[in-house]
Amino acid sequence: MKKIAVVADSNSGYTPQEATKAGVHFIAMPFYIDEKEYYEGVNLSQEEFFEFLKKDLSVSTSQPSPESMLKLWDELLETYDEVLYLPMSSGLSGTCQTAMMLAQDYEDQVFIVDNQRISVPLKHSVQDALTLAGLGKTAREIKAYLEETKMDSAVYIMVDTLKYLKKGGRVTPAAAALGTLLKIKPVLQIHGEKLDSYAKARTMSQAKKLMIDALQKDVMQYADGNAESVHFDIAHTQNHQGAMDMKVQIEEAFPGCEVSIIDPLSLSIACHIGEGAVGVAWTKKLTV
């Protein structure tokens, strides 16, 4: 049986400590804040990140350097037969394409998974990769499974402010001003490679209902109505109470099911939506 090193970055929601405990090799995502470089989970905490946002400092995402990826792979291949890296969706960052290009020089040794996920669904993918590796699957087989099942997950995010969507150019200043005036709460979706608009609500309670309805619709369509065959999860940006309230609503909507994970939302998404957001996700469970 081949020895496989599973690699994830901070976009999966793992902290360095959680990754080490789970047996996952960790890459911290870099950010530039007022031209100074920080690394998520290393010298940039969630709390510090949102303090920078509140101060309207210049915040931009970046990719791990090619040198850092190559160094990690070379180190791992001294003790492992294969490396399996699960970066965030290729539609949200260039990290995946860069890793795929670099991996061409590591044929049959380094495998890059693009299953178009981020945050908690990506964390489940990492956990599934570890399980499959423990069952003797090769990195190539695990990559194939994870990419074949990429649409078996979705995320819905209720945004509390339009400020950062406007700042990032995802809504026009006029639309943001009108939306703020009308107190519109956008609901965004990640199902596939990109972050897209899903619906608009006038109140938080309406936005929450839209997300519950979306979960119910997806469970019927993608899981044959079997809610017990999926993980339900929550991610949020500095809104733990909102996340706990959402947990109650999900568990009421799906009797007998429990919310698996409540995590802070990955900073690569948080920088575009700001604080106060709550996201819900479903991911089909691994069946082996």
Side-chain angles (χ1 to χ4, degrees):
M1 185 170 78
K2 290 189 175 181
K3 194 175 180 185
I4 300 172
V6 176
V7 180
D9 57 44
S10 48
N11 286 309
S12 64
Y14 276 107
T15 64
Q17 297 77 18
E18 289 172 340
T20 298
K21 186 176 179 180
V24 174
H25 301 275
F26 181 81
I27 296 176
M29 294 299 291
F31 287 79
Y32 285 92
I33 300 174
D34 269 11
E35 300 183 0
K36 181 179 177 181
E37 190 174 44
Y38 293 84
Y39 289 88
E40 182 175 359
V42 178
N43 64 344
L44 180 64
S45 68
Q46 288 269 330
E47 292 74 21
E48 290 167 332
F49 176 82
F50 286 103
E51 282 301 313
F52 287 135
L53 276 190
K54 287 176 186 175
K55 293 175 182 176
D56 279 334
L57 300 184
S58 171
V59 177
S60 61
T61 60
S62 186
Q63 302 179 33
S65 70
E67 293 79 12
S68 66
M69 282 195 272
L70 295 174
K71 182 175 182 291
L72 176 62
W73 297 348
D74 288 339
E75 289 174 353
L76 291 173
L77 288 170
E78 291 178 6
T79 52
Y80 291 88
D81 301 306
E82 297 176 330
V83 172
L84 185 76
Y85 175 32
L86 290 80
M88 68 189 289
S89 169
S90 59
L92 297 170
S93 168
T95 302
C96 189
Q97 291 94 331
T98 299
M100 286 180 171
M101 180 185 69
L102 296 173
Q104 290 175 4
D105 292 333
Y106 293 79
E107 188 176 0
D108 296 326
Q109 287 185 299
V110 176
F111 296 83
I112 312 301
V113 176
D114 182 16
N115 69 338
Q116 299 178 355
R117 297 185 184 180
I118 190 172
S119 192
V120 185
L122 183 55
K123 180 179 279 190
H124 283 302
S125 296
V126 174
Q127 292 168 350
D128 290 349
L130 290 169
T131 299
L132 292 169
L135 293 173
K137 301 293 185 182
T138 66
R140 186 182 300 278
E141 289 170 331
I142 299 170
K143 169 182 164 70
Y145 170 80
L146 294 175
E147 292 181 344
E148 286 166 5
T149 57
K150 65 185 179 183
M151 299 303 286
D152 290 348
S153 177
V155 179
Y156 298 92
I157 307 169
M158 175 179 63
V159 178
D160 188 47
T161 174
L162 295 170
K163 175 180 176 179
Y164 300 98
L165 290 173
K166 181 186 78 171
K167 197 172 182 180
R170 291 182 178 270
V171 297
T172 66
L178 180 61
T180 300
L181 180 65
L182 297 176
K183 298 183 179 179
I184 288 174
K185 304 297 182 185
V187 177
L188 309 177
Q189 177 189 44
I190 304 173
H191 188 207
E193 61 181 1
K194 294 183 178 179
L195 178 69
D196 295 313
S197 174
Y198 176 73
K200 296 181 180 71
R202 293 292 298 272
T203 64
M204 281 293 195
S205 60
Q206 186 184 13
K208 290 176 182 177
K209 184 179 185 306
L210 282 168
M211 294 199 296
I212 293 292
D213 289 346
L215 292 180
Q216 291 173 325
K217 180 182 175 182
D218 286 355
V219 167
M220 289 300 298
Q221 182 174 352
Y222 296 99
D224 297 322
N226 181 12
E228 293 183 1
S229 70
V230 305
H231 298 285
F232 292 107
D233 305 291
I234 296 172
H236 65 94
T237 56
Q238 299 289 283
N239 191 357
H240 187 261
Q241 185 57 54
M244 296 306 295
D245 293 344
M246 202 72 231
K247 177 180 186 293
V248 171
Q249 293 191 36
I250 291 173
E251 292 176 352
E252 286 177 351
F254 299 95
C257 296
E258 294 184 1
V259 170
S260 304
I261 297 172
I262 299 178
D263 268 354
L265 192 64
S266 303
L267 295 184
S268 295
I269 295 293
C271 67
H272 297 296
I273 61 177
E275 64 181 344
V278 175
V280 300
W282 65 269
T283 305
K284 284 190 77 171
K285 294 177 181 177
L286 175 68
T287 54
V288 293

